[in-house]
Amino acid sequence: MLNIVLFGPPGSGKGTQADLIVQKKQLTHISTGDVFRKNISQQTNLGKLAENYIQKGQLVPDDLTINLLANELDSYSDSNGYIFDGFPRTLPQAQAFSKLLEKKEMNLSFIISLEVSENELVKRLLNRGLDSGRADDKNQEVIRNRIQVYHNQTAMLKNFYLNKLKDSFFSIDGERTVNEISEDIFNIFLRKK
Ligand code: AMP
């Protein structure tokens, strides 16, 4: 079983690379952002709660997010492995995640951290906002807030996982072509086989 975390700021290309991995490997892609957006479009209770945070570029509270992740894992329990995209994003999420994986006797195989500069992120997100239909990609202030939240609450998880997984943590220059990045990622798959 392969379980991978795609880590990186908003706009770093996690979703794009996850889609490419899914085309080649039989893994289940779990994007907490996608699941929140589905709940918002279906106007579920969770969607209504999450929407307030997402539209401001803030993180959805940990308890809601951790529950949602646990439910997703349960609903794809027969999977060969997972790509976690956009989760975990805080230390309590990472700690709860470790416990959950332990309970399910699962391990993280490796973590890929996509590194992209702030100017490039803003440019990409505004560009994505032109046709993604995502309100949080349209407003420059919300975008800057999302990047700030990443620096304040999420980036520190790199150290958490560097300590925990050591030689299974890979930083990749995410400011190259989609194909170049994807090639690096598949090389990691080969090394970790
Ligand atoms: P994303 O599609 O990953 O960029 O996520 C979009 C938005 O969903 C984020 O800006 C957060 O408001 C929310 N979100 C997604 N994943 C998480 C998470 N792991 N923890 C808290 N909020 C999240």
Side-chain angles (χ1 to χ4, degrees):
M1 188 181 207
L2 268 177
N3 298 308
I4 296 151
V5 171
L6 280 180
F7 190 80
S12 58
K14 301 184 296 293
T16 304
Q17 293 300 330
D19 288 343
L20 292 173
I21 298 171
V22 166
Q23 281 172 24
K24 286 204 186 169
K25 310 268 173 194
Q26 294 205 312
L27 300 175
T28 303
H29 176 197
I30 298 185
S31 153
T32 40
D34 283 351
V35 184
F36 282 131
R37 282 185 287 279
K38 195 172 81 192
N39 276 275
I40 291 171
S41 71
Q42 294 171 349
Q43 283 291 291
T44 63
N45 285 338
L46 172 69
K48 286 178 197 160
L49 280 170
E51 192 167 19
N52 296 318
Y53 298 94
I54 294 178
Q55 66 192 10
K56 292 188 205 127
Q58 296 168 356
L59 293 184
V60 177
D62 284 335
D63 52 347
L64 291 178
T65 307
I66 292 163
N67 265 336
L68 168 132
L69 194 274
N71 287 338
E72 284 297 297
L73 269 184
D74 285 344
S75 61
Y76 298 104
S77 56
D78 53 354
S79 174
N80 289 328
Y82 303 86
I83 306 168
F84 298 97
D85 158 6
F87 183 94
R89 263 172 150 110
T90 64
L91 188 58
Q93 287 182 21
Q95 289 165 333
F97 190 37
S98 296
K99 283 199 188 131
L100 189 64
L101 293 178
E102 204 177 307
K103 209 168 85 187
K104 291 182 177 288
E105 297 182 0
M106 286 164 58
N107 282 317
L108 286 184
S109 312
F110 53 91
I111 300 208
I112 292 168
S113 173
L114 297 171
E115 313 293 340
V116 178
S117 67
E118 175 153 350
N119 281 346
E120 175 68 16
L121 293 174
V122 175
K123 211 165 74 188
R124 284 187 192 178
L125 290 169
L126 282 172
N127 210 21
R128 186 168 80 183
L130 297 176
D131 49 27
S132 72
R134 280 180 58 168
D136 61 344
D137 284 345
K138 289 202 162 71
N139 178 318
Q140 178 141 189
E141 208 179 307
V142 173
I143 289 175
R144 295 259 176 215
N145 195 30
R146 287 161 65 199
I147 296 171
Q148 200 51 47
V149 164
Y150 172 80
H151 287 304
N152 293 345
Q153 300 187 60
T154 308
M156 46 95 70
L157 291 184
K158 280 192 210 179
N159 272 333
F160 176 86
Y161 281 117
L162 263 172
N163 285 330
K164 217 173 156 65
L165 290 169
K166 297 186 179 72
D167 54 356
S168 297
F169 184 97
F170 298 91
S171 278
I172 289 190
D173 175 4
E175 225 167 304
R176 296 172 297 153
T177 65
V178 169
N179 283 344
E180 282 169 329
I181 297 164
S182 157
E183 207 171 295
D184 275 8
I185 293 178
F186 284 113
N187 279 330
I188 296 170
F189 271 90
L190 287 175
R191 272 160 64 187
K192 285 283 156 188
K193 223 170 170 179

